[in-house]
Amino acid sequence: MSTQNPIFIPGPTNIPEVLRKAVDMPTIDHRSPMFGKILHPALEGVKKVLKSTQAQVFVFPSTGTGGWETAITNTLSAGAAVLATRNGMFSHRWIDMCQRHGLDVQVVDQPWGEGIPTDRFEEILTADTAHRIKAVLATHNETATGVRSDIAAVRRALDRAGHPALL
């Protein structure tokens, strides 16, 4: 039986006891030779998951929110238009971050607990003939509500609309 308390907020996610015990060890100094012996095979494993021998894998020491900010600041400029759904706490925070960075966010509000409305995204992207929308933001898993959006369907909506926006 797990000793972890079940919590119903966006993270941390409860971990099965067998996995928790497997990583129950002292922290390894990231400058030590032992760390490299673990890191390099792990990075090669990521390449296998990506089905690539050419991928350059980067370790980014951050929360998911730091990843969002990195993606936003390295691909978009203030004033750029983005399309997003607000259907839970993570998507809400992502939209807020985009607005704080001066992006023009077109928000499709969706009841919390429902996934991204890909049919509505396709309509919006098809209507954007000037390709003003530069990126489509998609939150895969809204932990607080347990909803998982179909990211492949979002990609198909972009493709059917013939839209060049980043996903």
Side-chain angles (χ1 to χ4, degrees), residues 133-144:
I133 296 170
K134 300 301 179 196
V136 175
L137 309 179
T139 302
H140 182 241
N141 183 354
E142 282 287 357
T143 311

Side-chain angles (χ1 to χ4, degrees), residues 41-154:
L43 295 178
E44 289 304 313
V46 171
K47 288 182 183 180
K48 288 179 184 175
V49 169
L50 296 175
K51 298 180 181 173
S52 173
T53 58
Q54 304 300 315
Q56 178 66 43
V57 180
F58 294 92
V59 176
F60 191 79
S62 171
T63 63
T65 305
W68 296 341
E69 188 163 19
T70 299
I72 290 165
T73 59
N74 283 284
T75 61
L76 301 166
S77 299
V82 298
L83 175 62
T85 298
R86 183 182 356 252
N87 65 332
M89 184 50 77
F90 285 120
S91 57
H92 175 75
R93 288 180 58 215
W94 202 357
I95 290 165
D96 179 62
M97 181 181 287
C98 287
Q99 291 168 336
R100 289 172 187 247
H101 278 82
L103 300 175
D104 178 14
V105 187
Q106 183 171 349
V107 178
V108 176
D109 282 306
Q110 184 78 345
W112 286 29
E114 293 184 18
I116 295 170
T118 55
D119 55 340
R120 181 71 184 119
F121 270 29
E122 186 175 343
E123 289 172 13
I124 292 167
L125 293 164
T126 299
D128 181 29
T129 56
H131 298 157
R132 195 174 156 280
I133 296 170
K134 300 301 179 196
V136 175
L137 309 179
T139 302
H140 182 241
N141 183 354
E142 282 287 357
T143 311
T145 62
V147 71
R148 182 182 70 208
S149 288
D150 186 348
I151 303 303
V154 176

